[in-house]
Amino acid sequence: MKITGYTDRMSVQPGENIKFMVNSHHKKYKAEIVRLIHGDSDPKGPGVKIEKIAARVNKEYNGRKQDIHMGSYIKFDAHRIFEQISSFSLQAMIFPTTPELGTQGILTKWSPADQTGYGLFIDEKGCLALWIGDKKGNVEKISTNQPLVSGCWYFVGGSFDADSGKMTIFQEAVISKTNGRFSLPYGADNQNISNEKNIKVQPCADNNAPFLIASIFEKKSEGKYKVINRYNGKIDRPRMASIALSKEEMTAWIDHPSGEGLVAAWDFSEGITKKGFKELEKVYDKSPNQIHGETVNHPTRAMTGYNWTSEEQNFVHAPEQYGAIHFHDDDLTDAKWDVDFEWKVPDNLKSGVYAAHVCAGDDEDYITFFVRPKKGQPTAKTVLIIPTASYLAYANNRFQDIPLAQLMFGRAPVVQQEDMYLGEHAEYGLSTYDHHNDGTGVCFSSSLRPILNMRPKYRHNLSPSLWQFNADLHLVDWLTEKGFDFDVITDQDLHLEGAELLNQYRVAITGSHPEYYSGQMLDAIEDFQSDGGRFMYMGSNGFYWVVAFHPENPNIMEVRKNYGNQGWKSKPGEIHLSFTGEQGSIWKHRGRAPQKICGTGYVAEGFEVSSYYRRTEESFDPKVDWIFEGIDKDEKIGDFGLVGGGAAGLELDIYDTELGTPSHAVIIASSENHTSVYMPVAEELYFNIPGLSGAENPRVRADMVYYPTPNGGAVFSTSSIAYCGSLSHNNYDNNISQLTENVLRRFLSDQPLPWGEKEQALTKS
């Protein structure tokens, strides 16, 4: 893994430029644009298929190392008031989550190189501390000498009086019935500490160190910095004064900062609107000085503050109770590498899946991107919607580190080179299935970093073979081999352009696992269906998690988790998305179950062997039996494949009229004989009882469903993630391939779809 890279965007169209950022440990490397068709290296399948594309950027480049600096914080532009400080006070409400990890900056203007400046810290013993360093490098520190407790709010402050040389510091636990781990102040008395001492050192504030919240800067080279001593936890209502305030005066400033010496009174709830944060990266100073700041690497906002009462669960309705920002020492939303080369996509380049193949010796990376057709100029009747939101959700996941993974998978996880590398390189960022170092869930993911599991040849440890990106290349390969013309768009394109984008096509096809969807995407799919579009849902567990994209930077996605099958749960009061203000978690709990979109919805999972489908009696009705043309009546459907050995596996969807499956929808096939590793998903359970596994529970199955929609449209759903892995079996000559081809060719034709008289009326305007 000595060469990695990423692009400035995931979707690009002919005529546009795309930028490539590369980190190389080699002095030289070669780059070549390639088209990706099949990424599965399994010898049982057709093998990896990659086509070279002629491009002016195909050449040798000078390699260079590019570092990633993770950790979220707030930075401020240089301001004379920070540099002219002699006496000062610093205060905040803090909710530390890893005080035991040692030194962490809270409010700092500190230069570690020459040990000058001032700041409020958590020290190496996990105690609150105030530091002062003079221009000669003399340092004075004062500590409460009482370790902070994680998950507890504190009112903290420190001051220095330049005339008397007096340093003071205090911490006071702030415990209510709802705002933290504890509801009553048992043992809190020993957390309420103050300390003071007189010193001769005067702070050297003019030290070229910026004022920061939640970290300090360490200079690496001219113009290059990284943040160190990064803070984990929440901060609410930070304040600064140019005089030494008493504790009583600081207490008055919590909610009403004013008067002599006021430098800054930051209000992290400022900017909350009915549609989320107006400017998520900006923090506002309510003092006359207007020293506004900018967040870096997206610390989490819309978080409960020290005064949260639990009476309101949505931050947009009670912004005064959501004045906290949660910082993490491993946050990352932009690696901020320099550009190595840039390519203008040719006007005649075919829409599809592409990559810049960068290599040096035996080291290589495929920097993946997607080429859509020019806006308003479709080149085919069929469009494949690439589920990039789901790719972001699983980006650089570390499932091999989950203690229960072996039980979930029914086997020991198979670890790839990329997984090993990520285990040693946390700076490449986390997936939305991982936890931060402080144990809280990861709710942001970004494509502005190398994504090591979104590349050909990668075999995912969650699946018996492939998952997400390479599993979707199974479908790309089949469409290519069968000679179907198709365009590629991403679900981010769908989010931004809606049904107008889809309505240019007759048939829209999903990938194998379109799990993460925004409201705009759902609207586009439903409007497309309503307008007569024909829709092929080629996977399972689709349209499940609610997501939102950053309004100015769609490379960044947000999710909040609760209720469903998940790697973590949002804390109370923190389920709403900061980007939009809408409720997060799963669409089912917002009245938009997947059954309304595709006739089936998520019911069970089992990351072990896959099974097969069996035709239903209803499938022999003349109005649907054309789907099985060329397939023997009694044969098993898909008892083969590259993903677990069958077409029905990993995750399964089921027909359910109570959740919105249209009453005229027909189950044309259902899977059977799943193992005991397959279990119902959490939201399907009311009580845990014996007999729920796939070996005993008839609801653990995949339902293949077909039904008409208005204006001559229709929906076909496979309801299994493993399905596309069976398409290439026996050189593409098999019943899964035949069935899929029957549906797609009929969907593409101008011939009306056969259906009964009653149901046919539904297809008329």
Side-chain angles (χ1 to χ4, degrees), residues 284-446:
Y284 295 91
D285 171 21
K286 303 297 285 289
S287 82
N289 293 315
Q290 298 286 285
I291 307 174
H292 307 313
E294 179 185 351
T295 65
V296 177
N297 275 329
H298 287 86
T300 313
R301 307 193 73 169
M303 305 300 276
T304 56
Y306 82 98
N307 59 342
W308 184 65
T309 65
S310 84
E311 295 169 327
E312 182 52 64
Q313 298 292 310
N314 189 341
F315 69 99
V316 306
H317 298 151
E320 71 282 355
Q321 295 184 34
Y322 285 83
I325 295 179
H326 196 135
F327 301 88
H328 303 95
D329 61 5
D330 52 1
D331 276 327
L332 177 72
T333 50
D334 192 343
K336 296 185 177 179
W337 286 354
D338 294 327
V339 177
D340 281 75
F341 58 94
E342 188 171 348
W343 185 45
K344 184 177 180 180
V345 178
D347 287 338
N348 62 350
L349 188 69
K350 180 179 174 61
S351 177
V353 183
Y354 291 85
H357 180 216
V358 291
C359 61
D362 293 331
D363 297 311
E364 66 176 355
D365 193 11
Y366 288 86
I367 308 172
T368 302
F369 60 98
F370 307 93
V371 176
R372 56 172 290 182
K374 279 189 174 182
K375 192 171 182 179
Q377 300 180 31
T379 68
K381 291 183 178 181
T382 301
V383 64
L384 174 60
I385 308 167
I386 299 291
T388 54
S390 295
Y391 298 168
L392 286 182
Y394 288 90
N396 294 343
N397 66 258
R398 293 160 170 82
F399 288 134
Q400 68 274 9
D401 297 332
I402 300 174
L404 295 179
Q406 190 163 331
L407 284 175
M408 286 182 64
F409 302 167
R411 56 184 166 77
V414 179
V415 180
Q416 307 295 310
Q417 177 190 14
E418 293 86 348
D419 304 325
M420 296 292 290
Y421 187 80
L422 289 170
E424 298 174 354
H425 292 271
E427 72 275 11
Y428 275 69
L430 302 167
S431 79
T432 64
Y433 287 81
D434 295 317
H435 292 80
H436 290 290
N437 284 333
D438 68 355
T440 56
V442 178
C443 65
F444 294 117
S445 184
S446 169

Side-chain angles (χ1 to χ4, degrees), residues 7-80:
T7 62
D8 68 329
R9 59 176 70 184
M10 296 184 80
S11 176
V12 64
Q13 56 184 304
E16 291 182 336
N17 288 353
I18 184 168
K19 298 175 181 178
F20 298 87
M21 283 63 72
V22 180
N23 166 52
S24 175
H25 292 241
H26 299 270
K27 291 182 179 180
K28 300 282 186 180
Y29 69 89
K30 293 180 180 179
E32 186 173 50
I33 303 298
V34 296
R35 182 181 174 212
L36 305 178
I37 299 173
H38 195 263
D40 191 345
S41 59
D42 191 332
K44 297 177 183 177
V48 174
K49 298 180 184 179
I50 298 174
E51 293 181 352
K52 297 179 181 179
I53 302 296
R56 62 172 181 81
V57 295
N58 293 352
K59 58 184 179 180
E60 188 173 71
Y61 294 88
N62 292 324
R64 57 176 167 177
K65 293 182 181 179
Q66 303 213 59
D67 295 326
I68 303 176
H69 301 306
M70 61 181 179
S72 57
Y73 57 96
I74 301 173
K75 66 178 182 179
F76 300 88
D77 293 334
H79 198 288
R80 58 180 176 78

Side-chain angles (χ1 to χ4, degrees), residues 10 388 392 445-447 492 495-496 548-557:
M10 296 184 80
T388 54
L392 286 182
S445 184
S446 169
S447 62
Q492 291 180 353
H495 172 86
L496 295 170
F549 292 97
H550 191 290
E552 279 82 47
N553 188 352
N555 292 301
I556 302 170
M557 184 186 78

Side-chain angles (χ1 to χ4, degrees), residues 536-752:
M536 296 179 68
Y537 172 43
M538 299 296 290
S540 171
N541 188 17
F543 323 110
Y544 187 72
W545 289 110
V546 178
V547 301
F549 292 97
H550 191 290
E552 279 82 47
N553 188 352
N555 292 301
I556 302 170
M557 184 186 78
E558 180 182 15
V559 64
R560 302 288 176 106
K561 298 198 171 186
N562 217 323
Y563 308 130
N565 263 27
Q566 66 243 314
W568 53 273
K569 291 186 178 182
S570 296
K571 300 296 184 183
E574 296 175 353
I575 197 173
H576 289 78
L577 302 175
S578 62
F579 286 170
T580 60
E582 65 185 307
Q583 180 181 308
S585 199
I586 62 176
W587 281 113
K588 176 181 175 180
H589 287 174
R590 284 184 52 186
R592 303 191 75 172
Q595 281 86 347
K596 293 183 176 183
I597 305 293
C598 53
T600 63
Y602 191 27
V603 69
E605 65 180 12
F607 304 105
E608 194 205 22
V609 298
S610 300
S611 190
Y612 57 89
Y613 300 86
R614 182 81 69 180
R615 288 184 65 172
T616 63
E617 288 297 323
E618 291 78 9
S619 74
F620 295 98
D621 189 300
K623 64 190 178 188
V624 294
D625 67 354
W626 57 269
I627 295 173
F628 297 91
E629 185 177 343
I631 300 172
D632 291 341
K633 291 183 178 181
D634 297 326
E635 65 182 285
K636 296 176 180 177
I637 310 296
D639 57 339
F640 47 80
L642 297 174
V643 181
L650 297 191
E651 293 180 339
L652 312 173
D653 287 5
I654 197 171
Y655 171 112
D656 193 328
T657 55
E658 290 187 4
L659 292 175
T661 302
S663 58
H664 63 285
V666 175
I667 302 174
I668 57 176
S670 290
S671 66
E672 59 187 24
N673 287 339
H674 292 287
T675 72
S676 59
V677 172
Y678 282 78
M679 298 293 292
V681 293
E683 69 272 16
E684 284 286 309
L685 301 179
Y686 293 95
F687 295 96
N688 267 319
I689 58 174
L692 294 178
S693 76
E696 305 160 290
N697 185 356
R699 279 185 63 82
V700 176
R701 68 178 194 268
D703 286 336
M704 192 182 296
V705 166
Y706 173 83
Y707 59 96
T709 52
N711 300 306
V715 170
F716 167 76
S717 296
T718 68
S719 304
S720 161
I721 285 180
Y723 184 93
C724 292
S726 300
L727 289 167
S728 66
H729 178 73
N730 192 34
N731 197 28
Y732 310 92
D733 183 11
N734 61 78
N735 53 33
I736 288 289
S737 177
Q738 182 66 60
L739 186 155
T740 309
E741 185 172 357
N742 290 343
V743 173
L744 181 52
R745 292 201 183 279
R746 194 59 177 265
F747 275 20
L748 284 170
S749 74
D750 294 328
Q751 183 181 0

